[in-house]
Every structure is written in C-alpha cells, then in structure tokens.
Amino acid sequence: MKRRSLLAGTVGVAALATGAAVLWRPEDKGAPHDAYFSKLNALLKRDGPGRPVMLIDTERMNHNIDVLTNSVGPDKTYRVVVKSLPSVPLLQHVMQRAKTDALMVFHQPFLNAIAETFPRADTLIGKPLPVSAVRTFYKKLGNTPFNAENQVQWLVDTPERLLQYQTLARELGIKMRINLELDLGLHRGGFEIAAFDTALKIMQEDSTHLQFSGFMGYEPHLTGLKASLDQPSVQKVLNIYRGFQDKARSAGISVDQLTLNGAGSHTLRIYERDNTMNDLSAGSGVVMPTDFDTYHLSENRPALFIATPILKRYDDLIIPGDPWFTDLLPKWNPNMQRLYYIYGGYWKARMVSPPGVPAPLYQSTNQSPITTSKRVDLQVDDYMFLRPTQSEHVMLQFGDLLPVKDGEISERWPVFQQT
Ligand SMILES: Cc1ncc(COP(=O)(O)O)c(C=O)c1O
C-alpha cells in the first residue's frame, strides 16, 4: 500500500514536472542576422583578422556623444570618463566631438599616458589613489608641456590621505590640487561634512603645497529609481552637496571657481535643469554596454560589439559525455536545436546576434558552445556578435579597437596598457 502510494506520488510529481516544463516551454526566438549584423558579418569575413575583435559603430557613437553633450548643456563641463573609454584615439574622437578637454582618470598608467598624449587635458582623478601611485606618476612624468600642478586634481577621501599627499608634495617640492570625494549616500567612502573642516584647515595652512580645487560626488545609487530632479532621493543628494558648498563659502572660498563634479552616464540627465554641480562625468553612455540600458539612457544606442568567428557547427545538439537528456533538451527548448562553437568566450558580454541564444551549456575562454534554433543558419567562419555588459575591463581584452565608419574598418585604435 505504502509502496503503491509512493509510486503514484512519484508519477504524479513527474507528470506535474513534465506539465510545468511543457507550460514553460521557451519560444523559438531564433532568427538570422538582421541587415545590420549581416553587413558587419560580410565586412569581417572580408577584412577581419579571423579572431575575436571589438567593434565600435562610429555613427551610433557620435549620436551618443551628442545626446550626452546636449544633456550637459553649454554652462557645465562635460568630463569624459577614461576608464570606460580606454583608448587614446577613442578619447581623442570623443573629446573633439564633445569639444572638451576634461577627463576623469582612475589608473596611474593611464594618467601618465594622458599627460604624454593630451598636453591640454584637464584631469580629475576619479578614485583616491595610494600615495605610492601618485609618487610613481611624478616619477614617470617625462618632459611634456602637460603641467601637473595646474592640470591634475588629486581625489582625496580622508584627512589622513591628505596628510600623506602633503608629505609627498613637500618631499617633491610641488604643489598639488586637491579635490575632495563626498559621500552623497553611495557610502563608498568619501567625506562627510564633519571631516571637511579638518581637511580645509590642512590645505589652507599649507598653500605652498596644497590647493583646494573642488568636490566630486558620485551617486549611481539613483540609477534604478528613474530619478527626476524633484524626487526626494535626488534632492537629498543635492542637499548634501550644497551643504559642503555652503561650508566652503563661509570659509571665504569662491565656490564658483571650484570644480563641482558629479554624476555618471546613468544619472547625468537628471541635472539638465540644476546648477548645483558645474562638471558632469560620463563615459560608458558613449558606447553603451548592456549594463547601461537604463532609464536616462534610452535615447543612446548600442555602439560596442564583440564579433567572433564560428569555428564549428553541428546540426543537432550534442553534449560532452552524451547524457540521457541530450535528445530532450532541443524538444523542450527550440533554441537548443543547433550547436556552434565560437572562437573564445566567457566574456562579460551577452549574445546580441543571432537572437534567442540561451545561456551556454558551459563557458570556455577558448572555444564556447552556443546553441541556437534551426532558424539560425550560420556557417563556419561567419561571425556572431555580443554586447559587452561593461566597457571598462572588456575593451582591454581584444587588442586594437576596430572603428566601423561608413561600412568600413578605416582605422585601428590601440587601447591603454594596464601597466
Ligand atoms: C567617480 C565616478 N564618476 C563617474 C563615473 C561614471 O562612469 P560611466 O559614465 O562610465 O558610468 C564612475 C564610474 O564608475 C565613477 O566611479
């Protein structure tokens, strides 16, 4: 009796599971490359190097630069975030089109490269660097017209770090401009109002070596909120910012002369009608990795793609070791009817064409399996296209970037060296 009810129970659960699987049966979302990706595919088969590459659609990128620049408006500075666009020719392009020399830099080797190649750049460091990195910067700074005293603002998050920088400035006999990182609610470090007086006093008492140059307040926690200017979360951020400005003003500082930096691609648009900050940052919104498909960037267009050749094709699904469910999977999910192997993989990226590709069976940085519907009929040596989820690290993984302009790969844009 007991065994019979157990059996009935098991059959019941199995039937339910099958029923649920049938109910949840994924739709066939496969399709050939559309006209846009077919053209890129043909271009790469003709001119590509036969390995994974990083493409930039320059027409879409120009559109994105214009959208961001218009949002910043004529009265504020648009500061280009270097880590999100880590290539000298790419930065050159963005700076020229946006008519700005302002850069936000996060990495000492990039800062040295910028000092060499952009003698007019106005740089603000985007995170507080260890004092040894600052020392390395000065040591490596060659004979260049770039004047570090006027053209770098070092970001400082605590009075302790300020004292370290002061010691270095005295030792090297230099003057450093100091921008203070504010905690506007992100809670990723930075000054709270109580510590500001201490920092200001240190700087005012040693004007030979230190000069207070402004504030930097980053607030990406507003991203998910579809935030608009009048919302309490945004007003809270701005009130903290204004609190620091008021304190600076009452210490006799002319606040309008300061660099009052804030925002990032996700949030920059919130401040179109607000003047609390006079200097707004954005990088990723120029090329639009998938993490940036957010509310305020809905006008921006994807401009950055990984393209990788297909190495192998199978017309049925096969799985390493031939497990028993191999034949069931494509019956359940029509997007698993065909199997390809692409060159490389396991990037921080999502397949964008062909469409409808489910999560891979397993990930490999060497050759990755990609399953598709039978509606996808690509051949060995055709390319598949992915969108990176972020730009900053992924853009450094493919060698030179390949800008596509008027349907051609016209140049090669080297990326920054990490060291
Ligand atoms: C201090 C700071 N400002 C701005 C940004 C915005 O960069 P992006 O526009 O690429 O998101 C970042 C990104 O991490 C940041 O750390």
Side-chain angles (χ1 to χ4, degrees):
M1 180 66 197
K2 236 182 178 179
R3 193 183 296 165
R4 206 180 293 158
S5 60
L6 191 74
L7 192 70
T10 312
V11 171
V13 170
L16 268 175
T18 314
V22 170
L23 275 181
W24 291 337
R25 190 164 184 248
E27 266 177 70
D28 188 341
K29 293 199 174 140
H33 285 324
D34 63 12
Y36 180 80
F37 288 109
S38 296
K39 250 174 130 176
L40 288 177
N41 185 30
L43 172 67
L44 286 165
K45 284 174 81 175
R46 202 184 66 218
D47 294 343
R51 57 169 170 77
V53 291
M54 180 71 87
L55 303 177
I56 298 184
D57 180 326
T58 54
E59 195 183 321
R60 290 184 176 193
M61 172 169 66
N62 287 345
H63 163 84
N64 296 340
I65 298 167
D66 296 347
V67 170
L68 291 167
T69 315
N70 286 339
S71 251
V72 174
D75 301 330
K76 297 182 195 130
T77 299
Y78 168 34
R79 188 169 295 277
V80 183
V81 176
V82 170
K83 74 176 167 65
S84 313
L85 302 164
S87 152
V88 164
L90 171 58
L91 287 170
Q92 231 148 16
H93 181 98
V94 178
M95 291 160 80
Q96 250 166 35
R97 187 157 183 109
K99 298 190 179 65
T100 182
D101 285 324
L103 298 174
M104 179 174 267
V105 190
F106 293 77
H107 193 46
Q108 169 267 314
F110 294 5
L111 184 61
N112 280 97
I114 282 163
E116 271 168 40
T117 44
F118 296 105
R120 293 211 328 251
D122 151 25
T123 63
L124 168 62
I125 307 304
K127 66 176 174 247
L129 296 178
V131 69
S132 51
V134 181
R135 183 191 294 280
T136 306
F137 166 75
Y138 284 106
K139 207 156 91 193
K140 296 210 161 166
L141 188 64
N143 204 0
T144 143
F146 183 89
N147 179 344
E149 186 169 316
N150 298 328
Q151 292 175 255
V152 186
Q153 295 183 54
W154 298 99
L155 192 72
V156 163
D157 56 335
T158 58
E160 292 72 27
R161 197 183 302 279
L162 182 58
L163 291 172
Q164 286 183 317
Y165 282 22
Q166 182 186 33
T167 306
L168 180 70
R170 286 179 174 168
E171 186 190 316
L172 299 181
I174 54 169
K175 183 167 182 174
M176 298 172 80
R177 292 169 83 207
I178 303 293
N179 189 298
L180 299 184
E181 179 177 27
L182 307 184
D183 183 2
L184 302 182
L186 175 61
H187 305 322
R188 188 179 74 176
F191 274 85
E192 290 183 23
I193 197 90
F196 178 40
D197 287 337
T198 318
L200 200 55
K201 192 157 172 275
I202 296 169
M203 291 186 278
Q204 287 183 326
E205 285 178 359
D206 188 2
S207 57
T208 317
H209 300 105
L210 301 171
Q211 184 193 339
F212 175 49
S213 65
F215 298 117
M216 189 287 284
Y218 185 44
E219 30 51 307
H221 56 288
L222 298 179
T223 305
L225 305 174
K226 298 191 177 175
S228 62
L229 192 57
D230 39 358
Q231 272 170 14
S233 51
V234 175
Q235 283 306 316
K236 194 170 161 194
V237 159
L238 291 175
N239 282 335
I240 301 174
Y241 212 123
R242 289 185 199 117
F244 280 91
Q245 294 176 3
D246 291 344
K247 262 211 152 169
R249 219 173 266 118
S250 53
I253 290 164
S254 74
V255 171
D256 296 346
Q257 309 295 314
L258 298 176
T259 298
L260 305 170
N261 174 269
S265 300
H266 290 296
T267 55
L268 176 145
R269 206 162 189 175
I270 298 173
Y271 307 107
E272 284 178 354
R273 290 176 294 106
D274 185 84
N275 293 320
T276 309
M277 299 177 270
N278 59 18
D279 189 287
L280 302 180
S281 308
S284 307
V286 169
V287 286
M288 288 298 288
T290 58
D291 284 353
F292 289 77
D293 292 338
T294 53
Y295 181 69
H296 287 292
L297 290 166
S298 52
E299 261 188 57
N300 295 40
R301 306 183 63 199
L304 186 68
F305 302 102
I306 297 168
T308 189
I310 295 168
L311 301 177
K312 297 159 187 170
R313 164 178 158 149
Y314 291 94
D315 277 327
D316 296 296
L317 182 68
I318 49 168
I319 300 178
D322 305 312
W324 62 269
F325 51 83
T326 304
D327 291 343
L328 295 180
L329 274 180
K331 291 197 177 82
W332 169 63
N333 185 348
N335 304 295
M336 299 180 92
Q337 291 166 338
R338 197 162 262 162
L339 174 67
Y340 295 90
Y341 278 88
I342 54 168
Y343 194 147
Y346 214 173
W347 301 291
K348 281 172 168 282
R350 299 218 171 94
M351 188 66 72
V352 58
S353 191
V357 169
L361 297 167
Y362 62 89
Q363 299 264 25
S364 161
T365 51
N366 175 34
Q367 306 177 54
S368 284
I370 300 292
T371 60
T372 72
S373 141
K374 283 259 189 285
R375 293 186 193 165
V376 175
D377 191 17
L378 294 167
Q379 306 301 323
V380 167
D381 292 341
D382 278 325
Y383 280 73
M384 289 191 176
F385 298 89
L386 300 92
R387 276 179 72 199
T389 58
Q390 53 150 259
S391 62
E392 57 186 82
H393 177 61
V394 190
M395 279 176 108
L396 300 172
Q397 294 181 290
F398 297 84
D400 294 353
L401 308 171
L402 304 183
V404 179
K405 190 177 172 210
D406 303 327
E408 298 292 331
I409 298 169
S410 45
E411 292 170 62
R412 278 176 166 62
W413 288 353
V415 293
F416 280 118
Q417 295 298 314
Q418 284 277 41
T419 56

